[in-house]
Amino acid sequence: MMELIVHRGGPHLTVQDLGRPGFLAQGVSRGGAMDRLALAEGAALLGQSPHLGAIEMAGSGGVFEVTKDTRIALTGAPMRAEMDGAALACNASHLLPKGARLGIGGALAGTYGYLHFGGGVSTPLQLGARATHLAAGLCQTLDAGTRLPLGANDGETGFAIEPQDRLSGGTVRIVPSLQTDLFSRSERVRFEATAFRRDPRSNRMGARLTSQSDGFSSAAGLSVLSEVIVPGDIQITGDGTPFVLMAECQTTGGYPRIGTVIPADLPKVAQAGRDAEMRFKFIEIAEAVAIERAERKVMNALSRHIRRLVRRPEEMRDLLAYQLISGVTKGDDLERLMTAN
């Protein structure tokens, strides 16, 4: 059996997939990867399903080894990566030979990096998924000495993909929630006008937002009747601080919600670095639905945007468009160079 050996791992190293929807009534939120687009990008690089398990690395990676030659891909937050001392490109696929040491360091930008394997991580399914959900007690973090089974591994490597920008913050689109009207118009306008940063203490349950603005308040006061909540909901806590609920959030909550981040923009919140500014913008439900449909089409078509890390001349249909030789010479360059010396 092919295995992955973890020789060293960061403090938040877990197996993640697209999560386990359908268990809110049992108190288990969806969970899964914080950056679901990164899973799709890795799947496209390896030519496989985005539902397969991968390693999520929060802030830093670790040192890994495989027991058989294995295809890998690196997506999400770019991290320093090397194989037996040789640097590896991020957002690309590579061959990791048996016994070679793969070292992945800290994130150069963003927060969550992903290590994918041909055939995926094949740990046992729990409630229909392999995703680690620490709050629900499903699976656990990966420590030194952990060995994980890997799936079947056939195909090519040496491909790259240009990722969508989601590491630098920017505009995050939100739709009204059930409690949006409890916030005055002036508070909603101020919320949209405020530049936020993701607090470094944020985690898989929620992203705490910081700003230079005063806290936000609603007509409901400190709390409302506890009800179902989902990833993307923006709760305003008792001190007026916004929290964006993330993949591993609880299933019910009693803080008023000023709005809900659309799924297509949640990776921006998850990946925003310390200096990345975010501003929220309210949009209508119909627009949000159209955005999600378009995003799904983009994710399904990612394989069309794969390119080779090193282009092959026989595959370059536009070869004649390249300037392979430039300049003019009389043919006596070497003679003149030797005379000058």
Side-chain angles (χ1 to χ4, degrees):
M1 179 178 64
M2 189 184 309
E3 289 186 311
L4 168 71
I5 305 171
V6 180
H7 290 292
R8 178 175 58 80
H12 305 290
L13 201 70
T14 59
V15 174
Q16 296 296 341
D17 55 20
L18 292 177
R20 42 181 70 80
F23 291 95
L24 286 179
Q26 287 74 38
V28 179
S29 55
R30 183 198 71 206
M34 290 284 279
D35 184 350
R36 294 159 69 85
L37 181 55
L39 283 191
E41 291 168 344
L45 286 166
L46 295 173
Q48 58 192 24
S49 169
H51 293 274
L52 297 178
I55 304 297
E56 182 179 88
M57 303 170 289
S60 62
V63 177
F64 310 92
E65 180 185 347
V66 289
T67 58
K68 292 183 180 179
D69 291 359
T70 304
R71 295 182 305 136
I72 64 168
L74 299 167
T75 65
M79 296 178 165
R80 297 187 186 278
E82 62 179 32
M83 181 175 62
D84 285 346
L88 295 180
C90 291
N91 298 302
S93 62
H94 310 275
L95 178 66
L96 180 60
K98 171 185 176 181
R101 292 294 179 100
L102 171 65
I104 302 177
L108 302 175
T111 303
Y112 293 94
Y114 294 84
L115 172 58
H116 310 258
F117 301 90
V121 177
S122 296
T123 49
L125 293 172
Q126 296 190 37
L127 298 181
R130 295 183 171 88
T132 299
H133 195 307
L134 297 177
L138 298 171
C139 308
Q140 58 189 6
T141 55
L142 307 179
D143 301 319
T146 300
R147 300 175 75 103
L148 299 174
L150 301 178
N153 182 47
D154 297 313
E156 290 186 89
T157 57
F159 296 101
I161 189 170
E162 188 67 31
Q164 294 184 30
D165 179 25
R166 52 193 183 278
L167 308 178
S168 54
T171 300
V172 178
R173 294 161 293 189
I174 61 178
V175 294
S177 79
L178 294 177
Q179 287 105 35
T180 298
D181 288 341
L182 296 178
F183 294 84
S184 67
R185 176 173 175 76
S186 61
E187 282 289 82
R188 299 197 301 268
V189 169
R190 188 166 66 89
F191 185 77
E192 286 188 291
T194 300
F196 293 98
R197 284 185 169 85
R198 182 178 178 274
D199 192 301
R201 293 170 294 180
S202 303
N203 54 36
R204 286 182 49 81
M205 294 186 69
R208 183 178 187 271
L209 303 179
T210 63
S211 71
Q212 299 300 313
S213 176
D214 293 334
F216 298 87
S217 61
S218 74
L222 298 181
S223 63
V224 295
L225 182 66
S226 185
E227 59 186 2
V228 173
I229 53 177
V230 296
D233 281 346
I234 307 173
Q235 290 186 322
I236 304 298
T237 58
D239 62 358
T241 300
F243 275 80
V244 180
L245 302 183
M246 303 303 289
E248 208 168 298
C249 67
Q250 64 272 34
T251 56
T252 62
Y255 288 117
R257 292 166 288 172
I258 196 169
T260 301
V261 178
I262 66 173
D265 285 356
L266 266 180
K268 287 185 179 182
V269 181
Q271 294 285 25
R274 184 187 300 268
D275 298 323
E277 282 192 355
M278 293 179 286
R279 292 180 186 270
F280 294 90
K281 177 185 177 182
F282 280 102
I283 62 174
E284 298 296 328
I285 292 292
E287 182 181 354
V289 170
I291 291 170
E292 289 303 317
R293 286 174 176 167
E295 182 72 8
R296 184 167 299 180
K297 290 181 179 179
V298 169
M299 293 179 71
N300 291 337
L302 283 175
S303 59
R304 301 177 189 172
H305 301 282
I306 299 300
R307 58 176 175 80
R308 289 194 180 275
L309 274 173
V310 178
R311 297 188 69 180
R312 296 178 178 177
E314 65 271 22
E315 296 178 350
M316 297 168 65
R317 298 181 180 179
D318 56 346
L319 182 60
L320 294 179
Y322 282 75
Q323 182 174 303
L324 303 178
I325 301 175
S326 65
V328 178
T329 178
K330 293 173 59 179
D332 60 352
D333 306 75
L334 181 59
E335 179 183 346
R336 289 189 294 103
L337 180 62
M338 294 180 66
T339 301
N341 291 334

